[in-house]
Amino acid sequence: MGDPFGEGYPADGETPVHSVAMSAFRIDATAVSNTQFATFIDATGYRTESEVYGTSAVFHLAVQAGTQDILGTASGTPWWLNVRGADWAHPAGRLSFWEDIPDHPVVQVSHTDALAYCAWAGRALPTEAQWEYSARGGLAQARYPWGNELHGIAADGTTVHHCNIWQGTFPTENTGDDGHLTTAPVRTFGPNGHGLFQTSGNVWEWCSDWFLPKYYKSCQDLGTVADPPGPTIGRGRVMRGGSYLCHESYCNRYRLAARSSNSPESASGNLGFRTVAP
């Protein structure tokens, strides 16, 4: 695990590279889709935290809501708007509907919401180690699930996109060269060597671990660690994989070693999850 290229953010604790041994497990090929999450809601009547709070974060170019529903911007990140009525069923605001994008990943779900889905489905959120092992698809120490170069080149000289991230000037202009302004269907682009789709880009994915940047150093000190559960404390829960908003100028975290975090009650239009089972 970890960043062998030395290009990660120091504050994220992507180093040192260290050895991990994994017990067998199964993992979803894709992030949980809107259709799958709707089945859970129909079966349980569960209300997500965004529904309870009444608002959630939507990227400014994606908002589908009346002006009266836009309540302000996030401190330090003015491209995030606090939108009344934004939730998993209305991911961009009250004028958006999950039924229009049933095969896209569910978003606007908190860590707590993801755990509720897992409890219903008899599954769990992946540990950070399970996530990275799966995301790599068998490519040891590669930068991305497909290799070390971000883009491919087709026979006619055109650019081949392997993931859904930001193209253009963040956060004002997305050229949409990869075909998507926001989320893409969960089976867009090719799978990695383990059969997983979109472990780079599209949506961030919750992991079970607490986020503690110095945790990798403690693992290295122990030698090869078997099934690391993550730290017992941290500043939020781990998110992995990056999202459609990631760009090298702002958030170069669609690399396989990249890590980030958010508070467990947080939700946004670019954050989802996938699940695991023994």
Side-chain angles (χ1 to χ4, degrees), residues 69-193:
D69 284 338
I70 300 174
L71 304 181
T73 62
S75 176
T77 53
W79 47 87
W80 282 113
L81 303 181
N82 186 26
V83 178
R84 182 190 291 116
D87 55 46
W88 81 270
H90 309 90
R94 281 197 245 235
L95 302 181
S96 64
F97 305 94
W98 78 264
E99 294 94 340
D100 294 335
I101 48 172
D103 57 347
H104 286 226
V106 66
V107 294
Q108 304 292 10
V109 286
S110 69
H111 195 267
T112 304
D113 299 331
L115 290 178
Y117 176 94
C118 289
W120 168 78
R123 297 178 67 85
L125 289 177
T127 66
E128 190 172 14
Q130 288 175 326
W131 191 96
E132 185 168 328
Y133 178 85
S134 303
R136 289 188 174 281
L139 295 183
Q141 298 301 293
R143 184 177 280 116
Y144 308 113
W146 54 87
N148 289 329
E149 299 301 320
L150 180 58
H151 301 300
I153 303 297
D156 62 2
T158 58
T159 299
V160 176
H161 293 276
H162 297 296
C163 62
N164 176 19
I165 56 175
W166 187 274
Q167 295 93 42
T169 304
F170 186 86
T172 56
E173 180 192 8
N174 188 341
T175 62
D177 290 347
D178 62 12
H180 308 282
L181 172 64
T182 61
T183 57
V186 295
R187 290 183 181 267
T188 306
F189 307 104
N192 71 9

